[in-house]
Amino acid sequence: MSFSGFIVQLLNGLASASSLFLVAAGLSLIFGVTRIVNFAHGSFFMVGIYIAYTLVDRLGTGVGFWPALVLAALAVGVLGGLIEMLLLRRIYKAPELFQLLATFALVLVIRDAVLYLWGPDELLGPRAPGLSGSVEILGRQFPSYDLFLIVVGPVVLGLVWLLLTRTRFGVLVRAATQDREMVSALGVNQAWLFTAVFALGALLAGLGGALQLPREPATLELDLNTIGAAFVVVVVGGMGSIPGAFAAALLIAEIKAICAWLGVVELFGLTVSFSKLTLGVDFLVMAIVLVWRPWGLFGRPQAPSRYVGMQEEPLRRPGKTYLVAAALFGLVLVAMPFFTAGSPYTTVLMIDLLIAALFATSLHFIMGPAGMHSFGHAAYFGLGAYGAALLVRASGLPMEAALVLAPVVAAIGAFVFGWFAVRLSGVYLAMLTLAFSQITWAIVYQWDSFTGGSNGLTGVWPAAWLSDKRIYYWLTLLLVGLAVLWLRRVLFSPFGYALRAGRDSVLRADAIGIDVKRMQWVAFVIAGAAAGLAGALYAFSKGSISPETLSVDKSVDGLVMVMLGGIQTLAGPVVGAVTFTWLHDTVARNTDYWRATLGGIILLLVLLFPQGVAGFAKQLFERKRRIEPAVELEEAKA
């Protein structure tokens, strides 16, 4: 560690902050006006760098380099505007999570479109003409292009500030950030305002990607990696605040730079690797900020939207027809291994479907009846999986005991995380759960001596009497069935009614003596235990476990399952889990571009069935039940 190295790392942090700010500024603008948590924003960054690569190749690496970057940003802006007009404009009045599902489907479609157009290989662009060298700073060489990037961030901040404060468009944007419905009531064409803002946000993300061309290669992983970092910056700075996004980008980038500079340090006889903290320190900062100041450093409480989506109907106990159908379906599941004796893979797939159903049901428990959005539910699935694996490998416990204790491990994690999370609401609660999940992932990913690090743990097989996959399938069916029935029973207990009362009206629930936060906290623990059981079953079914089980992708999969099935029905998460897992498996085995196919199917389902597959079926059934008596009455009158 030297002073010159410290200064150079700080400068590196400033250069990274500028690029991160461009993406976060666009995301903040889009959320502030449209209230859409745009998962596809990282895809705009990725498309920007790929288009810049192509344009630089066509226009030349000399004079044509800089116009190519600008044209790439403009092209991404046009793409964003088209996506808003053709897709998002149709779902603005849908619940926020359906909008999130649509933007996640866009991520899949855009990634495979990029794969088709540019291929799977990394593409490294040329050096920037005129800035290809380096300058000496305190005896160390520092890239000239990074100095240019350090200047770009403040310049873009100044231009955006002028646009928002000195133009009529900026006044409308700021007004829509405060109350978009009132802006529409005053005669402003809200649709075109949303399109312009979305295109501007996409342009900024595309510019951020294009400017990275001389610094890093274009890869297909840039979309999700970028959106995670952008979410952190936006939330820390304050949703909808451009200066907040800039300050947060500086804060997080410099903290990462300092961690890289510190490297491995001896503290009180312990070896601490600060360089490893760079994987999760940004989410740690987000968690601290949200606990201390729930609306971010420069944010303010979010104005409630008048578009509340579909009204939550009371949950009703199942009728006789439903119970008979469920019993028959259960018998079919019990007999399934006999029908598929010649196809062992089908038995494995059925185990995966059951585990996915329990994972989705546990997430629905806190999202639907409890009304709490979670972007980090994979943390409890992963804690259960690693808990079971470590109890068997490190403690030598039998598989049966590990299967019982693993949900307790996940419940403890939910107990700790939930205590902080229930103090927030809406997007901020969701982002705090994401932060805790990523912190857990970073610990598991880097603790090589205990969790196996990035390689995970292998040799986690079930007991000898479960070596036959059919026996393990029946055990999984039994445990998943009991867990799902238990969650349903809890929802129809006094606790479940109190939980839904707190979701529908916090003030009324509090007035009659219900401790809403305590109820939500307990719900977190219950859902975490159920997800932990799903994780333990998954670990023993695969024989190994890796950090991917705690990743953002796993949490997003759970969200997709719940939303596909329908959040307003108890059968929704099961239907959604089976639909998504089966589609994922079927499409992936039949086409190289399975993401685009799956994303297209999800988009189609979102547009046609905004209430989910199970919700749509329930709606049809209830409509038929209402129509039949009316028809009989008309026939009697005739």
Side-chain angles (χ1 to χ4, degrees), residues 363-400:
L363 177 57
H364 175 268
F365 184 84
I366 57 175
M367 285 181 58
M372 296 181 291
H373 301 165
S374 174
F375 287 0
H377 202 62
Y380 317 121
F381 184 89
L383 284 173
Y386 270 94
L390 290 170
L391 286 170
V392 169
R393 289 187 42 141
S395 302
L397 289 178
M399 173 260 186
E400 295 84 354

Side-chain angles (χ1 to χ4, degrees), residues 18 21-22 25 151-165 204 207 241-247 250:
S18 289
F21 163 69
L22 292 176
V151 177
V152 167
V155 169
V156 172
L157 173 64
L159 293 175
V160 173
W161 180 82
L162 289 174
L163 177 67
L164 296 180
T165 59
L204 289 173
L207 179 61
S241 172
I242 302 301
F246 185 74
L250 286 177

Side-chain angles (χ1 to χ4, degrees), residues 537-560:
L537 290 170
Y538 178 84
F540 288 119
S541 71
K542 301 301 180 185
S544 62
I545 197 69
S546 71
E548 298 302 315
T549 55
L550 299 106
S551 66
V552 176
D553 291 353
K554 186 66 178 179
S555 294
V556 172
D557 286 349
L559 286 170
V560 173

Side-chain angles (χ1 to χ4, degrees), residues 210-242:
L211 288 172
Q212 288 300 299
L213 184 63
R215 296 188 78 210
E216 60 178 307
T219 66
L220 295 172
E221 287 73 33
L222 283 175
D223 50 2
L224 291 180
N225 292 340
T226 303
I227 192 59
F231 273 147
V232 171
V233 170
V234 170
V235 172
V236 171
M239 303 289 276
S241 172
I242 302 301

